Amino acid sequence: MREGLKIFKIGGGIIDDEAQLGHFLAELARIPGQKILVHGGGKGANQMLTDLGIEPNMVQGRRITDAATLDIVTMFYAGKTNKQVVALLQAAGVNALGLSGADGNAIRAVKRPVKDIDYGFVGDLPEDSVNTVLLGQLLQVGIMPVFCAITHDGLGQLLNTNADTIASTLARALATQYEVELHFCFEKDGVLADINDEHSVIPHIVPAQYQQLKAAGVIAAGMVPKLDNAFAALEAGVERVVIENALKINEPVKTILCRS
């Protein structure tokens, strides 16, 4: 029987609020077993860019990353944010190790090709991008990897990579060795049947039901790419995907996505 592995992704407002981040990480420390954490950058990178006279440039929710922007987000994501998360986990009794994709050649990306939009130094992840041997060794000795949203191309170039994509790619790659459960943690209690009703959490969603909910417009906008990514992970062997409130990960209210 394969060992269990839980992969958690956090981002958005939770990263920007030190008290909430500390609460989430303390709750995460209470969850037994092997774990990996992936974090986004929050809004702090935009503030740092603005303070340094660089205008943040977002297109369709994705950051245009020129050379100057890459320098700043690398400092913010892989430096300040990543090490703050690791320090808080150490305080909670978890032996965590902060990583970018370049560290230990953990995640190798390819620079996104220019099509209609030039995203600059943004990385996409091929299927063989994850160093599963390295991660297996870290997990085996009780170390919890903590990934920021910076990867590399193997040729010396760092790349800004979407944190949701990193979490999903890690889950798919490690599903061959572990029973992987992928958790997307954000500000809502789960997927809502009514966007205006915080208590309308849909407890379980299977692929056919998801298509119906999309067609009816119940699930729309920003949740669609997140759930598309989630169901693709299930198809690739991930056991289940959980959408939940980052502050309530040890509570029963959440949405569980499964194959059937």
Side-chain angles (χ1 to χ4, degrees):
M1 183 176 177
R2 293 179 298 167
E3 294 180 90
L5 171 65
K6 293 182 172 68
I7 298 175
F8 291 83
K9 187 270 172 178
I10 56 166
I14 192 76
I15 287 288
D16 299 316
D17 188 308
E18 188 171 348
Q20 290 190 355
L21 179 60
H23 175 85
F24 166 78
L25 294 173
E27 289 297 302
L28 182 62
R30 291 176 51 208
I31 295 174
Q34 298 181 115
K35 301 181 288 282
I36 293 174
L37 178 62
V38 180
H39 65 81
K43 297 177 182 176
N46 282 348
Q47 186 61 54
M48 183 177 285
L49 286 164
T50 301
D51 291 346
L52 293 171
I54 301 171
E55 183 68 27
N57 187 2
M58 307 290 287
V59 175
Q60 298 173 356
R62 305 291 191 187
R63 186 182 299 281
I64 304 295
T65 307
D66 60 15
T69 299
L70 180 66
D71 285 347
I72 300 305
V73 298
T74 299
M75 285 189 286
F76 195 81
Y77 298 167
K80 179 182 184 298
T81 303
N82 188 259
K83 300 316 167 192
Q84 180 187 31
V85 169
V86 169
L88 289 169
L89 282 168
Q90 296 291 357
V94 177
N95 191 8
L97 178 66
L99 298 167
S100 73
D103 297 303
N105 191 30
I107 305 173
R108 187 178 294 196
V110 295
K111 186 174 181 291
R112 181 172 297 171
V114 177
K115 295 181 181 177
D116 296 336
I117 300 169
D118 183 356
Y119 284 95
F121 295 102
V122 166
D124 292 326
L125 301 181
E127 286 301 313
D128 60 349
S129 59
V130 176
N131 186 342
T132 56
V133 174
L134 171 71
L135 295 181
Q137 291 170 336
L138 292 174
L139 292 166
Q140 190 173 22
V141 296
I143 293 174
M144 177 178 167
V146 178
F147 281 101
C148 68
I150 299 296
T151 58
H152 78 134
D153 67 356
L155 301 172
Q157 180 63 57
L158 294 173
L159 296 165
N160 182 20
T161 301
N162 180 266
D164 281 354
T165 302
I166 289 175
S168 295
T169 303
L170 286 169
R172 291 197 302 269
L174 291 164
T176 60
Q177 302 172 30
Y178 300 88
E179 287 193 1
V180 176
E181 193 171 278
L182 175 59
H183 293 245
F184 288 109
C185 306
F186 68 146
E187 293 86 357
K188 304 291 184 182
D189 288 349
V191 179
L192 303 179
D194 180 353
I195 193 67
N196 298 310
D197 181 0
E198 296 289 337
H199 302 291
S200 64
V201 175
I202 305 170
H204 294 91
I205 304 177
V206 297
Q209 181 187 8
Y210 174 49
Q211 296 304 324
Q212 293 169 358
L213 291 168
K214 271 203 302 186
V218 173
I219 296 175
M223 283 302 295
V224 170
K226 189 181 292 289
L227 294 187
D228 282 348
N229 222 351
F231 279 105
L234 290 173
E235 289 178 15
V238 173
E239 288 297 316
R240 66 177 188 166
V241 180
V242 181
I243 313 290
E244 62 193 336
N245 191 316
L247 302 180
K248 303 177 182 178
I249 57 174
N250 285 308
E251 297 181 20
V253 178
K254 55 194 68 187
T255 299
I256 298 173
L257 312 180
C258 43
R259 300 186 200 103
S260 59

